[in-house]
Structures are given as structure tokens and as C-alpha cells.
Amino acid sequence: MSSPDASARPSPVAPVKRRDPLALVVRFQSLIGLVLVVIGGILFSPRRHGVILFLAPDNIANIVRAVSETGIIAIGMTFVIITAGIDLSVGALLGLSSVVTATMMISAGWGLVPTLLAVLAAGVAFGVVQGSISTRFRLEPFIVTLAGLQAARGLALVVSGNQYINISYGEGPGLAPPIFAHLGDRLFNNTVPVATIVFVVFAAIATIVLNTTRFGRYVFAVGGNERAARLSGVPVSAVKISVYAITGFAAALAGIVHAGQFNFGSANDGAGYELTAIAAVVIGGTSLFGGAGSMVGTVAGTIMLGALANVLQLNNITPALQLLATAAIIVLAAVLQSLVRRREGLIR
């Protein structure tokens, strides 16, 4: 029989766990950064006839068009970085894809649909090869994809003969289907670039895949704790190979968009795009240590970098200072991620 004192004793209350403010900042850093850049753009933008140039519809269209290609690549890169990997080959693969796209339509006389399918399949195959080598031989993705960068650039130079492959439109040999030129157009009263629509649609599909499918859960599991994921029955090797296949697809898609926007293929195009994509992903809150990230953050990070570059260009800031500003933002984002991990480690 229990005593009255025991029944009257209040039950222990679990302590309320407070959210770390720094962790919240890191989680929403891309949105916070985007808001700050927009505010800065409004305050420091040149004006013409009383109009803020930064907010002019044509300028906004230029921003979203400029980030479309790197944004597509960044969406694919998000999958890889969530698994604690990296892919340095995407910029060179974009160049290779643009060259192959132009060559197949202009020199080989292929139709639009077969060309697009072949280029996208080649991008996926390139990613599968890189992922398989890294997984099978347990090599660091940095080394494998660095070699992939050199291989893609070399193949592009061989295919193009180190020459621009111009794309002319029409019916007949040596001409590309006129519909391909629409990738450089703008819709809805000449305000929304077609390339941006491709970017948004791809981002929406990737968001659904990452957040609602079993594969998406596997991606987070592999990045969070690979050993635990393997013991839980997750096909770790298949997941890793798959995320590199996705980045290969994304780079090939960006290469197609690039060829359509500028009407040529060049082996040297896409240089540095891999770094911009990685920057967008990291600024978007995806952890370089793996296991955490979001597509929404990556999109916001991509737009933030584009808006920042645009603000600096409107104020005639040299490209060198633009690079320094981007580098400082990347370092700050990485430092914040590291601080959050240390604080979580202390709590645990």
C-alpha cells in the first residue's frame, strides 16, 4: 500500500530543450542572406529616372537567367554533399555536354529528342562511372571527381577540336531544329527566361525526391552515419553511385541549357561552375559533413549569389572583389556549420 506522501509527490518534469539560436541561423542562413542582399541591393542600387535598377523587371530576369545553369548543377550537388561527398567535374561536364549537343545536331544531323536523350544518358553514365570508382575502390570523391574534371575537359577539347561549335537554326543538314532556340527565350511578356523555368521544375522534382521518397531518406541516412545506415539495410554503395548519377544528369542538363541560351558549344565553358554550385549548396545550409540539407536552401543560396554579383556589377565593382566577397560568404557559412557541430558535441 502506497503512502499518502508518495501519492502526493509531484511527478518529475522533463527539462524543456531550448533550440540553439546559432543552429537556427545556420538552418535559415540562405534565406537570411538573401533578404540582406535584397535590402542591400535596394539601398545601394544606382537609380535611373527615379527607378531602382536592381528592382527593374529586366534586371531581375537577368539575375534568374544568370543563375539557372549553376542552379541546376547545385541541385544535383546537394544530393552528393548530403552524403558527405563532392563532385568537382560538373563544370567540365557542362562544357562537354554543350559541345556534344552542338556536334550531334550540327555535324551529325541528329534530331532534337535523340540528341537530348543521348546527352543526358551520357551525363548519367559519366556520374555512374565516377561513383562506382569511388565506391568500389574506396577512393576519396575529391580525387576521383578531380580526375573526372580533367577527363571531361579533355574529351570536350577532342570533340570540338578546341573550336567553338556555332549552332544555326533551320531545316536541313548542318542546322539545328528551330525549337531548340527557345531555350534562350523569355515567356510571359518577355519576363521569365525559359532556362529559369527548367531550373525551377528540376528543383521542384528534386525537392519531392529528397523529402518524400525512400531514396531521399537513404541519402540522409548515408550522410548522417554510413556505418549505421549499412547495418540498417540501406544499400549504401547504390545510393552513393546514384547521387553521382544525379549530378551527371544535372551537369548534362545545364550543358544543354547553356548551348541553347548562347547558340554554341565550347570545351572551355563551365570553368569554375563547380565552385559556384558548391558555394550555393553550402550557403543554402547543406552540411559539408553530410546528413543535413535542403533543396529550398540551395535555391535560395543560388539566387543570393546571383543577386550579390548583380549588385556589385551595378555598382561597377571589379570581378576580383566579387570573388573575394563570395569567398568570404562561403567561409562564414562553413564556420557557422563547424560551430554548430561543436556545440552539439558538447551537449551530447
Side-chain angles (χ1 to χ4, degrees), residues 95 98-109 159-170 172-177 180-181 258-267 269:
S98 72
V99 165
V100 173
T101 300
T103 301
M104 293 182 74
M105 289 191 295
I106 300 301
S107 301
V159 173
S160 67
N162 200 19
Q163 300 291 326
Y164 281 86
I165 303 177
N166 294 314
I167 300 176
S168 300
Y169 299 98
L175 298 174
F180 188 66
H258 183 84
Q261 285 198 97
F262 297 101
N263 298 323
F264 65 79
S266 172
D269 285 349

Side-chain angles (χ1 to χ4, degrees), residues 87-97 99-100 122 125-127 129-130 133 142-160 267-268:
D87 191 343
L88 301 179
S89 69
V90 288
L93 186 54
L94 178 149
L96 174 61
S97 299
V99 165
V100 173
F126 195 92
V129 169
Q130 291 191 118
I133 293 174
F142 178 90
I143 300 299
V144 176
T145 58
L146 181 61
L149 182 157
Q150 299 295 331
R153 193 70 72 190
L155 286 171
L157 290 170
V158 170
V159 173
S160 67
N268 296 313

Side-chain angles (χ1 to χ4, degrees), residues 160-293:
S160 67
N162 200 19
Q163 300 291 326
Y164 281 86
I165 303 177
N166 294 314
I167 300 176
S168 300
Y169 299 98
E171 302 296 336
L175 298 174
I179 192 174
F180 188 66
H182 289 307
L183 281 172
D185 292 344
R186 294 182 183 181
L187 303 179
F188 309 110
N189 295 323
N190 200 34
T191 56
V192 181
V194 173
T196 301
I197 296 176
V198 176
F199 168 39
V200 171
V201 171
F202 185 53
I205 294 173
T207 301
I208 294 172
V209 171
L210 184 64
N211 294 336
T212 65
T213 67
R214 178 181 296 179
F215 174 75
R217 294 192 293 272
Y218 284 173
V219 169
F220 282 110
V222 171
N225 190 323
E226 182 177 327
R227 184 172 180 273
R230 195 183 301 276
L231 292 175
S232 300
V234 175
V236 173
S237 296
V239 170
K240 285 188 171 183
I241 293 172
S242 297
V243 296
Y244 285 98
I246 292 173
T247 56
F249 178 91
L253 179 61
I256 292 171
V257 171
H258 183 84
Q261 285 198 97
F262 297 101
N263 298 323
F264 65 79
S266 172
N268 296 313
D269 285 349
Y273 278 30
E274 63 278 356
L275 301 181
T276 304
I278 293 170
V281 175
V282 174
I283 292 170
T286 297
S287 174
L288 285 169
F289 305 99

Side-chain angles (χ1 to χ4, degrees), residues 315-330:
N315 287 277
N316 296 319
I317 305 298
T318 64
L321 291 180
Q322 294 179 30
L323 293 174
L324 289 174
T326 302
I329 293 172
I330 296 171

